[in-house]
Amino acid sequence: MQTLKPSLKKTALVVWLLPLLASGNIQAGERESLEQLRATTTNLIELLVQEGVLSKQKADALLQQAKADVKQHTQQADLQDDVKSEVNKAMDEKTVRVQYIPQHVKQAMREEIEHDVMEKLNYKAGERLGVPEWIDRISFHGDIRLRGQADEFPGDNADFQALSDDPTRAMNLNNSSEERRRSRIRARLAADVHINDWLTGGLQFVTGQQNTPVTPNQTEGIAQGKYLFTLDRAFLQAKLTDWATVTGGRFGNPFMFTDMLWDPDLAFDGFAATFTPKINERWSSFTTVGAFPIEEVESSSINKAKDKWLYSAQTGVKWTADNKSSAKIAVAYHDFTNVEGRPNPVTGENYYDATAPIWRQRGNNTFDLNEFNGGTTIIGLASKFELVNLMAQVDLMNFDPVHVTLTGDYVRNIGFDQQEILKRTGHLYKKENEGYNFRIDVGNNSFMGPYVQNVMPHEWQVSLGYKRLEADAVMDGFTDSNFRLGGTNAKGWYVYGNYAIDKNAWISGRYMSADSISGLPFSVDVLLLDLNARF
């Protein structure tokens, strides 16, 4: 009997596994496997009865249970086959079979699916990891631009010392004859913040020198040490209605503009309200009003200068055709208060030193605030500045997706008054207070504006234009910093080109040839070659 115990244990184990085998839980899902399992089970049970291990009554019960389990799983398999058959039949009836999908369509579908999936994954990850809810309301973006710049000076330029020493047209120059080559870089990193349904905000850090508001370019050089990366945007924007917003802080240019008045990188401090009511399906309007501090002055009995401000208003209309072609026209008024210089008294007090601008480029008529008291030379602006600006733009979509865009821009400084300037400064200046700019752009519209968006491979654009900007047409400190190396009293042609070598990566080139309009000759040809990447 002792020798039979292992055999009986094994037999008992087999009998214990029989219901599991018969039920199909050990990978016996298909009909053939179930039939084979049922035959094997029957034979094993009969053998155990013959050996006396099982009674006839228990064996019959096991066989009946095995048959019932096999029948149940067979019926489930049949039901699954019927369901699959019906689903496949329905899919065949409803499915539209596409023989070929273009690659760009596949790419767009893939990106859309990836975006949706990532949004869901980020949300789920936030739940799992306990990331704060406000993280989902911040989005980041930025760009990097590598630039090669070449400045060429004709041989008939006046000496830079003579150009800079003339107090009536101080040029702020260190070179007017030697060719210059520079490697430059611009990097921007911005965060858009969605605070709630009506309030948003933004921050932007940018490279560049801190003493200039018009260019974020950083000239490369190992010996210079680290690059500066400073806060250039910080604002809140309230959406009052679908067509009215108010923005406060430091933000991008809120107006329709060209670089004749404003450098594309110039930030505006202060407040602006924008209204864009729609008139009908074809016509809409836009109006922007704003107050922008330029320089805060701590006035006192010994400092009689006052705070410098810019007060602006622009209004315009836009017409849109059926093919999405459009035309816009706008008129603007920009009043720069307290920016003109005032001479110090002959008695020597420095009452008006702070009327001199803390930043300017070159071109405006100027004078020495201490000319009559023999003090150190301090350069002030001769003219007041009240600008009337008229701008029009036509965007033709007849060759969609290629745009043909025509832009015209005219400005007049109605604040220029020869007699008022003579009385205040003691100098009589020629009336040079107008400017205009014409430009044509052909290509994809992705490259329009100061912030390029969503560039796709092989998109392109070319531009041709002419600009004439007289000495006191605009304030020289805020106009384009590249044309004749910045400032006013300049005229000439320019050619631009952009080509996308891949998604959000493009190369660009600019060539600008500009000459002086009046005064001592100073001409510059500027070539800019850029590699741009947006993320």
Side-chain angles (χ1 to χ4, degrees):
M1 292 297 294
Q2 294 297 326
T3 59
L4 291 177
K5 284 183 179 181
S7 177
L8 287 175
K9 287 182 180 180
K10 292 180 181 179
T11 303
L13 180 61
V14 170
V15 173
W16 181 75
L17 290 173
L18 286 178
L20 294 178
L21 294 171
S23 66
N25 286 336
I26 305 180
Q27 311 264 337
E30 299 189 8
R31 290 181 180 84
E32 293 82 356
S33 298
L34 288 173
E35 290 297 331
Q36 292 175 3
L37 184 60
R38 185 173 66 87
T40 302
T41 302
T42 302
N43 293 334
L44 284 172
I45 291 174
E46 290 178 353
L47 179 60
L48 292 172
V49 172
Q50 292 175 7
E51 293 290 334
V53 177
L54 289 175
S55 66
K56 179 64 174 174
Q57 184 180 3
K58 291 183 179 180
D60 290 340
L62 287 172
L63 288 173
Q64 290 299 324
Q65 181 63 41
K67 288 179 180 180
D69 290 341
V70 170
K71 182 179 180 180
Q72 179 182 352
H73 284 279
T74 302
Q75 290 174 347
Q76 290 177 351
D78 290 341
L79 179 59
Q80 291 175 355
D81 290 343
D82 291 341
V83 171
K84 290 180 181 179
S85 178
E86 291 299 322
V87 170
N88 290 334
K89 181 179 179 181
M91 290 180 65
D92 289 337
E93 291 176 354
K94 300 295 183 181
T95 300
V96 177
R97 301 190 182 277
V98 180
Q99 299 299 325
Y100 171 73
I101 300 177
Q103 185 61 35
H104 70 277
V105 175
K106 293 181 182 178
Q107 182 66 22
M109 292 172 64
R110 183 180 295 110
E111 291 176 357
E112 183 176 356
I113 293 170
E114 287 178 354
H115 180 268
D116 291 343
V117 170
M118 287 305 298
E119 279 193 343
K120 294 178 181 178
L121 287 176
N122 288 337
Y123 179 72
K124 294 294 184 182
E127 286 186 339
R128 286 198 306 271
L129 301 176
V131 176
E133 170 270 337
W134 56 264
I135 292 289
D136 295 332
R137 293 186 276 113
I138 302 177
S139 60
F140 296 92
H141 60 89
D143 57 48
I144 297 175
R145 181 179 70 195
L146 305 181
R147 166 171 290 180
Q149 178 169 342
D151 304 331
E152 306 282 347
F153 301 95
D156 59 351
N157 276 355
D159 181 72
F160 77 91
Q161 200 67 54
L163 289 164
S164 297
D165 288 346
D166 181 5
T168 63
R169 190 70 63 81
M171 292 290 285
N172 290 337
L173 287 175
N174 294 318
N175 176 32
S176 63
S177 59
E178 300 299 323
E179 297 178 359
R180 190 179 186 189
R181 304 286 186 270
R182 283 179 284 177
S183 296
R184 314 190 80 184
I185 188 171
R186 182 191 71 184
R188 298 185 293 191
L189 178 62
D192 296 328
V193 184
H194 178 80
I195 298 169
N196 52 45
D197 291 339
W198 62 273
L199 187 62
T200 58
L203 298 168
Q204 177 175 284
F205 292 88
V206 69
T207 53
Q209 298 178 354
Q210 292 180 310
N211 63 348
T212 167
V214 292
T215 175
N217 291 318
Q218 177 75 50
T219 299
E220 296 184 68
I222 298 173
Q224 296 178 141
K226 309 295 188 299
Y227 294 159
L228 294 175
F229 202 58
T230 54
L231 185 65
D232 188 49
R233 301 285 193 275
F235 65 90
L236 292 175
Q237 185 175 83
K239 185 177 182 181
L240 306 182
T241 68
D242 290 339
W243 50 270
T245 60
V246 176
T247 307
R250 183 177 177 87
F251 45 88
N253 196 321
F255 302 106
M256 177 183 175
F257 73 100
T258 71
D259 60 11
M260 185 178 73
L261 261 71
W262 315 109
D263 187 277
D265 292 306
L266 179 67
F268 279 65
D269 292 87
F271 295 89
T274 299
F275 309 94
T276 56
K278 189 174 182 180
I279 301 172
N280 54 42
E281 293 300 321
R282 294 290 182 87
W283 291 90
S284 61
S285 65
F286 54 94
T287 299
T288 299
V289 295
F292 313 102
I294 298 174
E295 181 185 343
E296 192 269 339
V297 176
E298 188 176 2
S299 301
S300 68
S301 59
I302 60 173
N303 183 8
K304 297 186 178 182
K306 297 181 180 180
D307 293 348
K308 301 171 186 177
W309 281 78
L310 166 63
Y311 300 99
S312 297
Q314 182 185 67
T315 187
V317 293
K318 178 180 179 180
W319 174 82
T320 305
D322 290 335
N323 68 347
K324 303 303 180 183
S325 295
S326 63
K328 293 190 291 186
I329 186 170
V331 60
Y333 172 73
H334 303 289
D335 182 15
F336 295 82
T337 63
N338 301 321
V339 297
E340 69 276 10
R342 295 189 177 277
N344 284 316
V346 295
T347 52
E349 292 86 357
N350 297 324
Y351 290 154
Y352 298 106
D353 283 2
T355 62
I358 60 174
W359 164 257
R360 59 181 298 266
Q361 296 187 91
R362 58 191 58 86
N364 287 157
N365 284 306
T366 58
F367 73 102
D368 181 5
L369 302 185
N370 289 324
E371 181 179 359
F372 303 117
N373 63 22
T376 303
T377 298
I378 301 176
I379 297 298
L381 300 179
S383 177
K384 296 180 178 180
F385 288 88
E386 293 180 64
L387 311 183
V388 176
N389 177 224
L390 180 64
M391 183 177 175
Q393 186 175 81
V394 177
D395 185 15
L396 302 176
M397 290 290 292
N398 303 70
F399 311 99
D400 186 36
V402 173
H403 292 243
V404 178
T405 305
L406 306 171
T407 304
D409 199 9
Y410 170 80
V411 65
R412 182 183 181 90
N413 177 17
I414 62 174
F416 185 93
D417 186 326
Q418 280 183 316
Q419 295 304 312
E420 188 276 332
I421 295 173
L422 176 61
K423 181 179 178 181
R424 179 165 42 84
T425 69
H427 296 277
L428 182 65
Y429 294 91
K430 181 181 178 181
K431 192 172 186 178
E432 299 176 290
N433 65 331
E434 294 181 292
Y436 58 84
N437 176 49
F438 296 105
R439 173 171 169 172
I440 179 172
D441 301 278
V442 180
N444 299 100
N445 230 28
S446 306
F447 302 100
M448 293 292 285
Y451 294 94
V452 175
Q453 299 289 331
N454 300 323
V455 175
M456 300 305 293
H458 309 301
E459 290 186 336
W460 58 277
Q461 184 187 68
V462 293
S463 307
L464 174 66
Y466 180 82
K467 183 190 301 185
R468 178 185 171 90
L469 196 58
E470 294 178 350
D472 290 318
V474 302
M475 284 193 67
D476 65 23
F478 302 136
T479 187
D480 180 22
S481 59
N482 293 315
F483 192 72
R484 207 185 65 134
L485 298 180
T488 61
N489 189 32
K491 62 179 180 179
W493 296 90
Y494 55 89
V495 179
Y496 298 168
N498 297 282
Y499 179 75
I501 56 178
D502 206 334
K503 181 181 178 182
N504 291 330
W506 69 99
I507 55 176
S508 60
R510 300 183 186 185
Y511 179 74
M512 294 158 281
S513 181
D515 306 312
S516 296
I517 297 175
S518 63
L520 296 174
F522 177 61
S523 302
V524 187
D525 294 339
V526 178
L527 176 64
L528 307 175
L529 298 176
D530 300 334
L531 173 62
N532 306 271
R534 175 185 177 272
F535 55 90

